[in-house]
């Protein structure tokens, strides 16, 4: 089910919130969790009911293995490896079969059916791997029931794009009766509304610019190349941060607190700092489940640098099956290795460190977004062609959404000569506006000490109403593809 749809916002979410609050006040909370599981199954299986069979099968296997590991941790290592192999094999089958076959003469022979892959397979796989690891480390209580586990795997707030939650931190909250709180409702709704507006009203605009540029790489002027790169940087920021805000807001309205997954990453002053702010739960997973088991930074500089590179190559592969993702991961890994080797030897002023970090992230995103490494190199090469000047009229005209474009065309006809300048400059103002918003605190940070106010209520209602009006034509979240 698409979370930026009329069905979800106007029907599914209100019904689930009301039923959860009503049932959650009862002793034992069993009925509330049973309802939440049904709601999660409906959400995850809405577009592909048969995918639930895959999710149920691997979920049952991982739960049973986790309980076996927890009961006898001294003999749990073989079961831990067996469970990890099973989960990764399912992920690899759906996500990497086509890529692996493309490296052989069997390219195009077989492609796993997309409708059979569970929603958010990459996220739910890492959630289950976290479960097995926590069972092995003795960090999950024996009171996690099959119902608790199933609710965590199908929790609608995190199923699409995360955050990657641990059963041990989510299950107790779902199991604990939570009395209704107006503060939770107000803070959660505010966070959800602003996150929805980020996606529908901001990410969609920058997606238009990025799509226009990447589809015309060979014919773009240098300024259009630069704006294409910047548009994708802003698109993925508002897309992913928007969903993180929505997920936290939905959970907060239910009385559940999710781990922070996004913390103004474009304010980072190093690549290490960037990954302490971007997709925080993914970094946590790789650190605890891969980096530390490999020795972390305890076995010397060479092993530490190897582990860092391995982590980021795996992160690239997790995001997608393609050479562009691998290059993107290698760039970030190489940058972190360089920062580690230069630590204490090179000190940059904070503004310069921020600028270099932001420029590096922009360049790396090109490989993340491009259809091929060749296309990415062509776009970056376009920056060095002669002919720098103002953005083209075609690029400016591609930025606004259809309804805004129609409004600008109407104003142009009314204003005649002045309208030509308006229809050119007005869409381009979205870029500096988007950059300015990067300095604003995240809605989630605002809700930590939330105080209801009239202006917050007006902003919340405005974001919800305008977002619902603009739903048509909005694509799914970028991270839903992973």
């Amino acid at each position: 089910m698409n979370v930026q749809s009329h069905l979800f916002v106007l029907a599914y979410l209100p019904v689930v919130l009301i039923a959860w609050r009503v049932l959650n006040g009862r002793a034992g909370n069993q009925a509330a969790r049973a309802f939440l599981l049904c709601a999660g199954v409906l959400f995850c299986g809405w577009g592909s009911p048969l995918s639930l069979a895959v999710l149920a099968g691997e979920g049952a296997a991982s739960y049973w293995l986790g309980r076996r590991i927890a009961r006898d941790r001294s003999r749990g290592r073989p079961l831990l490896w067996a469970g990890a192999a099973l989960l990764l094999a399912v992920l690899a089958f759906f996500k990497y079969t086509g890529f692996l076959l493309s490296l052989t003469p069997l390219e195009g022979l077989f492609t796993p059916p997309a409708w059979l892959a569970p929603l958010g397979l990459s996220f739910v796989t890492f959630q289950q791997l976290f479960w097995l690891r926590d069972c092995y480390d003795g960090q999950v209580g024996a009171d996690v029931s099959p119902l608790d586990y199933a609710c965590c795997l199908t929790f609608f707030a995190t199923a699409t794009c995360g955050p990657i939650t641990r059963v041990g931190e989510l299950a107790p909250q779902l199991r604990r009766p939570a009395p209704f709180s107006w503060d939770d409702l107000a803070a959660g709704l505010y966070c959800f509304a602003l996150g929805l507006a980020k996606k529908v009203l901001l990410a969609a605009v920058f997606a238009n610019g990025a799509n226009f540029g990447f589809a015309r790489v060979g014919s773009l002027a240098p300024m259009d190349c630069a704006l294409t790169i910047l548009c994708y940087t802003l698109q993925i920021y508002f897309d992913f941060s928007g969903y993180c805000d929505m997920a936290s807001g939905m959970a907060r309205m239910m009385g559940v607190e999710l781990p922070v997954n996004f913390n103004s990453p474009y304010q980072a002053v190093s690549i290490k700092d960037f990954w302490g702010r971007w997709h925080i739960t993914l970094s946590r997973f790789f650190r605890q489940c891969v980096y530390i088991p490999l020795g972390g930074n305890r076995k010397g500089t060479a092993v530490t640098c190897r582990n860092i590179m391995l982590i980021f190559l795996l992160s690239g592969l997790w995001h997608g099956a393609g050479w562009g993702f691998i290059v993107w991961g290698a760039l970030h890994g190489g940058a972190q290795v360089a920062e580690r080797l230069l630590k204490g030897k090179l000190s940059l002023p904070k503004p310069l460190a921020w600028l270099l970090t932001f420029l590096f992230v922009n360049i790396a995103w090109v490989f993340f977004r491009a259809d091929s490494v060749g296309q990415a190199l062509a776009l970056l090469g376009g920056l060095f062609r002669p002919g720098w000047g103002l953005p083209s009229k075609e690029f400016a005209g591609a930025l606004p959404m259809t309804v805004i474009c129609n409004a600008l065309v109407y104003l142009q006809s009314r204003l005649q000569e002045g309208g030509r300048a308006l229809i050119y400059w007005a869409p381009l103002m979205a870029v500096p506006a988007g950059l300015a918003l990067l300095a604003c605190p995240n809605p989630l940070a605002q809700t930590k000490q939330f105080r209801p106010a009239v202006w917050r209520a007006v902003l919340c209602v405005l974001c919800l109403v305008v977002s619902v009006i603009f739903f048509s034509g909005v694509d799914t979240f970028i991270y839903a593809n992973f």
Side-chain angles (χ1 to χ4, degrees):
M1 186 180 294
N2 196 338
V3 297
Q4 67 272 8
S5 65
H6 297 97
L7 175 64
F8 181 86
V9 174
L10 301 179
Y12 180 91
L13 183 59
V15 169
V16 171
L17 292 176
I18 293 171
W20 169 259
R21 283 301 188 179
V22 170
L23 296 173
N24 202 31
R26 300 183 179 182
N29 195 25
Q30 191 82 4
R33 282 178 290 153
F35 169 79
L36 186 62
L37 175 59
C38 293
V41 167
L42 177 64
F43 180 85
C44 294
W46 182 261
S48 177
L50 288 178
S51 67
L52 294 173
V54 179
L55 180 60
E58 70 169 13
S62 62
Y63 176 79
W64 178 80
L65 286 169
R67 292 268 54 93
R68 287 287 302 274
I69 293 170
R71 283 198 296 269
D72 187 2
R73 294 199 300 274
S74 62
R75 301 180 180 179
R77 184 175 290 271
L79 293 177
L80 174 63
W81 283 106
L86 171 65
L87 294 170
L88 292 175
V90 174
L91 178 64
F93 173 75
F94 285 107
K95 197 165 182 178
Y96 305 108
T97 298
F99 176 67
L100 293 175
L101 289 179
S102 70
L103 305 178
T104 72
L106 302 176
E107 181 178 5
L109 180 65
F110 173 73
T111 302
W115 50 265
L116 194 57
L119 179 69
L121 178 60
S122 297
F123 291 92
V124 76
T125 297
F126 276 17
Q127 186 179 25
Q128 292 174 91
L129 289 171
F130 239 148
W131 156 258
L132 295 177
R133 176 74 192 188
D134 286 345
C135 287
Y136 181 75
D137 292 339
Q139 297 182 14
V140 179
D143 56 346
V144 177
S145 67
L147 177 59
D148 294 330
Y149 190 69
C151 284
C152 291
L153 294 188
T154 60
F155 187 41
F156 69 92
T158 61
T160 303
C161 306
I164 301 170
T165 55
R166 304 169 83 159
V167 173
E169 64 191 4
L170 182 57
Q173 297 188 73
L174 298 179
R175 189 168 53 242
R176 180 184 66 242
F180 178 77
S181 167
W182 283 108
D183 290 339
D184 282 345
L185 179 62
L189 186 59
Y190 177 79
C191 196
F192 175 82
L194 266 62
L196 184 63
K198 280 184 180 181
K199 167 60 183 175
V200 177
L201 305 179
L202 294 175
V205 169
F206 297 117
N208 290 337
N211 293 338
F212 176 88
F214 275 95
R216 298 165 177 80
V217 167
S219 60
L220 292 179
M223 178 59 78
D224 288 354
C225 289
L227 286 177
T228 296
I229 296 170
L230 187 56
C231 276
Y232 186 70
T233 296
L234 293 172
Q235 177 198 356
I236 197 169
Y237 177 90
F238 289 115
D239 182 280
F240 189 41
S241 68
Y243 186 82
C244 290
D245 293 337
M246 291 172 66
S248 296
M250 290 185 285
R252 179 72 179 271
M253 286 188 277
M254 296 175 62
V256 174
E257 184 176 354
L258 296 179
V260 176
N261 202 32
F262 200 90
N263 184 23
S264 302
Y266 289 169
Q267 296 179 20
V269 293
S270 68
I271 301 304
K272 182 179 180 180
D273 186 23
F274 173 82
W275 281 102
R277 297 165 174 263
W278 179 281
H279 212 329
I280 298 170
T281 57
L282 179 66
S283 299
R284 178 179 68 167
F285 172 85
F286 277 120
R287 181 175 61 253
Q288 298 186 6
C289 294
V290 183
Y291 181 73
I292 292 176
L294 286 175
N297 58 359
R298 304 186 305 274
K299 297 184 178 181
T301 301
V303 173
T304 299
C305 293
R306 180 207 66 184
N307 293 342
I308 291 173
M309 283 300 300
L310 180 60
I311 291 300
F312 281 95
L313 289 173
L314 290 175
S315 177
L317 277 174
W318 178 84
H319 281 90
W323 291 111
F325 292 107
I326 296 174
V327 172
W328 172 80
L331 287 172
H332 276 275
Q336 284 232 40
V337 168
E339 287 180 355
R340 185 173 188 86
L341 294 176
L342 293 173
K343 187 177 181 180
K345 301 177 182 178
L346 179 65
S347 179
L348 297 175
K350 193 171 181 180
L352 180 58
W354 169 82
L355 179 61
L356 291 176
T357 301
F358 185 67
L359 289 175
F360 175 86
V361 170
N362 273 262
I363 292 171
W365 281 138
V366 175
F367 293 92
F368 190 93
R369 166 61 175 81
D371 296 330
S372 66
V373 174
Q375 186 189 45
L377 293 175
L379 181 60
L380 292 172
L383 298 172
F384 301 96
R385 288 197 294 263
W388 278 89
L390 292 174
S392 67
K393 295 179 179 179
E394 291 77 15
F395 189 93
L399 278 172
M401 289 180 283
T402 303
V403 64
I404 302 297
C405 188
N406 292 338
L408 289 174
V409 170
Y410 172 77
L411 287 174
Q412 181 190 31
S413 66
R414 303 292 293 179
L415 298 174
Q416 297 179 356
E417 289 297 325
R420 281 195 284 272
L422 176 69
I423 202 170
Y424 174 76
W425 287 107
L428 291 174
M429 289 300 101
V431 177
L435 290 171
L437 289 174
L438 300 182
C440 297
N442 291 327
L444 182 58
Q446 299 179 44
T447 60
K448 292 299 182 182
Q449 296 179 330
F450 188 78
R451 294 291 183 273
V454 174
W455 72 268
R456 291 186 191 273
V458 172
L459 179 61
C460 180
V461 171
L462 187 63
C463 287
L464 283 174
V465 171
V466 177
S467 296
V468 169
I469 292 174
F470 278 78
F471 268 158
S472 58
V474 176
D475 294 330
T476 187
F477 288 92
I478 293 175
Y479 267 75
N481 299 320
F482 306 140

